[in-house]
């Protein structure tokens, strides 16, 4: 089978040191976690950044500092900034990291519940505007889909020429409370709707991180793990680093006959311009 692109979502915007003291906030901590994930086999770092006190921010300068620090310790990694940011941020705030011209960035494909009282806002106009800005800047979107309607919307906007349509890359996120459940049926339903030339990755939330990764690996897809989505190695055992989570998924991949892609192999698989 083909190589697998492993993405490490090392920090996220919502998880805290109170939940797991190893969640990185500072620039040094983010760089340390990126390096551990890279050493364990991650080719892509999905990046959210924080202030030193843990507050999520989309500040362009803070992203710049974090990206430079990651480049210092792991120069080849693909860095995939978030344009989702944190709940409640405005579109302009969220778009700031695109000014740094990353190779690829997330583009969230619909509004959804996000836990108990939170709503993650991504109106159709916002999606079109995020797509327009990313096209203008030569950034490949990673279409982030929390349910099938989001996949359908991204495909429909791409057909109308309103989103980049060639070699679309999707991240199917399953298990956020209020969105699609993390089941094999749902994952294969979503993946079955993709065009031939698309690529995809799967993300399982919480205790579903490794079961969803195993399903994606068996189906020939790519996987995302990391503190953004899950803080535990197994029930009751906190992960010491993102490296441990990546290491576990690499072991599962190898058992299934798949080797992790290097960053440059991942660039080729994702049709990225370096
Ligand atoms: N923090 C979530 C509200 C993304 O990175 O694009 C959104 C998120 C998605 O993490
Ligand atoms: Zn994210």
């Amino acid at each position: 089978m083909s190589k697998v692109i492993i993405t490490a979502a090392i920090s996220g915007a919502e998880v805290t040191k109170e939940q797991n003291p190893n969640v990185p906030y500072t620039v040094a901590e983010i760089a340390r976690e990126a390096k551990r994930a890279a050493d364990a086999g991650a080719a892509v770092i999905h990046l959210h950044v924080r202030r030193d006190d843990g507050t999520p921010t989309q500040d362009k300068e803070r992203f710049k500092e974090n990206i430079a620090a990651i480049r210092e310790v792991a120069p080849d990694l693909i860095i995939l900034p978030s344009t989702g940011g944190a709940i409640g941020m405005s579109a302009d705030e969220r778009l700031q990291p695109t000014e740094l011209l990353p190779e690829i960035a997330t583009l969230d494909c619909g509004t959804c519940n996000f836990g108990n009282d939170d709503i993650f806002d991504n109106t159709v106009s916002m999606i079109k505007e995020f797509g327009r800005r990313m096209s203008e800047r030569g950034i490949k979107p990673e279409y982030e889909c929390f349910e099938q309607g989001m996949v359908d919307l991204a495909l429909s906007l791409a057909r109308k020429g309103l989103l980049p349509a060639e070699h679309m890359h999707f991240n199917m996120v399953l298990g956020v409370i209020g969105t699609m459940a993390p089941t094999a049926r749902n994952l294969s339903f979503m993946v079955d709707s993709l065009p031939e030339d698309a690529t995809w990755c799967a993300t399982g939330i919480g205790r579903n991180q490794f079961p969803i990764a195993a399903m994606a690996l068996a189906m020939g897809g790519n996987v995302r793990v990391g503190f953004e989505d899950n803080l535990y190695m197994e029930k009751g055992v906190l992960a010491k680093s993102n490296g441990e989570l990546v290491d576990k998924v690499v072991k599962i991949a190898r058992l299934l006959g798949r080797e992790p892609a290097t960053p440059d192999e991942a660039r080729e698989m994702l049709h990225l311009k370096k």
Side-chain angles (χ1 to χ4, degrees):
M1 266 212 254
S2 59
K3 295 226 169 163
V4 52
I5 303 169
I6 299 172
T7 297
I10 58 175
S11 54
E14 286 83 21
V15 290
T16 64
K17 281 189 192 291
E18 283 69 47
Q19 296 168 292
N20 181 332
N22 304 307
V23 170
Y25 294 166
T26 67
V27 174
E29 288 168 347
I30 294 261
R32 178 203 69 205
E33 283 302 302
K35 169 90 171 112
R36 286 179 178 170
D39 288 347
V44 181
I45 298 297
H46 169 50
L47 189 63
H48 288 255
V49 304
R50 312 283 189 108
R51 298 282 174 210
D52 285 351
D53 67 0
T55 314
T57 174
Q58 290 290 101
D59 180 67
K60 178 180 153 186
E61 293 309 317
R62 188 68 173 180
F63 261 93
K64 201 190 251 179
E65 264 184 273
N66 276 276
I67 291 170
I70 295 172
R71 290 259 172 267
E72 188 104 341
V73 292
D76 295 341
L77 274 173
I78 297 171
I79 300 177
L80 190 168
S82 171
T83 68
I87 299 291
M89 288 178 174
S90 71
D92 283 344
E93 204 175 353
R94 284 168 48 182
L95 279 164
Q96 289 178 79
T98 62
E99 290 167 34
L100 302 172
L101 310 180
E103 297 168 85
I104 182 166
T106 60
L107 200 172
D108 294 278
C109 296
T111 295
C112 57
N113 285 312
F114 209 85
N116 292 325
D117 297 315
D118 289 333
I119 295 173
F120 185 28
D121 248 337
N122 296 287
T123 63
V124 176
S125 307
M126 280 170 73
I127 296 165
K128 289 184 198 163
E129 177 59 15
F130 278 44
R132 195 185 62 73
R133 297 249 200 134
M134 287 167 70
S135 298
E136 212 172 72
R137 293 171 180 168
I139 303 164
K140 177 165 183 138
E142 181 188 66
Y143 296 108
E144 195 140 321
C145 297
F146 296 75
E147 45 93 351
Q148 181 62 32
M150 299 191 193
V151 179
D152 293 337
L153 177 61
L155 293 176
S156 148
L157 293 175
R159 274 194 301 272
K160 291 177 187 148
L162 297 167
L163 287 179
E166 264 208 346
H167 303 298
M168 296 172 82
H169 178 61
F170 287 81
N171 178 27
M172 312 305 191
V173 184
L174 297 176
V176 170
I177 307 289
T179 67
M180 214 146 157
T183 64
R185 184 191 63 163
N186 287 345
L187 181 59
S188 59
F189 181 57
M190 292 170 97
V191 170
D192 279 352
S193 63
L194 301 184
E196 267 303 295
D197 72 342
T199 49
W200 63 276
C201 167
T203 298
I205 301 299
R207 76 174 84 92
N208 297 293
Q209 179 154 94
F210 292 106
I212 284 290
M215 287 174 213
L217 286 163
M219 290 163 68
N222 303 293
V223 299
R224 177 171 117 177
V225 294
F227 284 158
E228 176 165 346
D229 311 314
N230 164 48
L231 299 165
Y232 290 87
M233 288 299 285
E234 57 186 82
K235 194 170 173 14
V237 183
L238 287 171
K240 293 193 189 70
S241 78
N242 282 277
E244 275 198 345
L245 297 170
V246 173
D247 191 53
K248 180 166 170 173
V249 88
V250 167
K251 287 195 174 94
I252 301 170
R254 290 197 167 126
L255 285 171
L256 296 172
R258 300 193 60 197
E259 280 297 312
T262 65
D264 277 344
E265 288 168 341
R267 282 188 177 90
E268 216 165 291
M269 292 160 73
L270 295 172
H271 304 272
L272 293 177
K273 306 171 208 108
K274 203 178 173 186

